[in-house]
Amino acid sequence: MQILLAYLGVPRNEGPEVDPSAVTNDARELYRAGEKRVGTDERAFIRIFTESSRAHLVSIANAYQHMYARSLEKVMLVSNFLETPLIFLPCANQAQKINK
């Protein structure tokens, strides 16, 4: 619920522009906040998933796969907290395909 409220309250650029260095930083931050540590840093996930555009989320998922040889979606299934942000990835992927 916390992530949905944050998502509704944060303005974000929904354009197709993506900053590759920001994508790499966000993928790295998600790794550090999730897989690399015991427990999950929920704040990092909430910030990235609520402040990022669909195009940025798709790019993060692709970068994560490339950097860590793991699907971000599969990694997120490990934590109960991450079930909610998990809905953002398929939605972002689908919207990206429609907008092309």
Side-chain angles (χ1 to χ4, degrees):
M1 181 66 127
Q2 182 182 6
I3 192 166
L4 294 176
L5 292 174
Y7 183 79
L8 293 173
V10 176
R12 72 204 125 270
N13 176 8
E14 287 295 347
E17 305 84 19
V18 175
D19 177 358
S21 63
V23 167
T24 301
N25 289 339
D26 286 346
R28 191 173 295 122
E29 185 174 351
L30 289 174
Y31 178 76
R32 288 183 192 140
E35 280 194 276
K36 192 173 180 180
R37 61 180 280 158
V38 176
T40 303
D41 179 0
E42 295 177 1
R43 289 171 293 166
F45 280 89
I46 289 171
R47 184 191 64 74
I48 290 170
F49 278 86
T50 59
E51 294 178 5
S52 299
S53 69
R54 291 183 300 248
H56 189 79
L57 286 174
V58 169
S59 297
I60 291 170
N62 291 335
Y64 196 96
Q65 175 73 40
H66 178 74
M67 293 165 67
Y68 303 108
R70 289 190 169 94
S71 161
L72 184 56
E73 279 187 74
K74 288 180 182 176
V75 169
M76 292 170 63
L77 286 172
V78 174
S79 171
N80 287 336
F81 163 76
L82 298 177
E83 289 175 10
T84 302
L86 189 56
I87 66 171
F88 290 104
L89 287 177
C91 293
N93 278 323
Q94 188 61 31
Q96 193 72 7
K97 289 175 187 173
I98 290 170
N99 290 332
K100 285 187 177 183

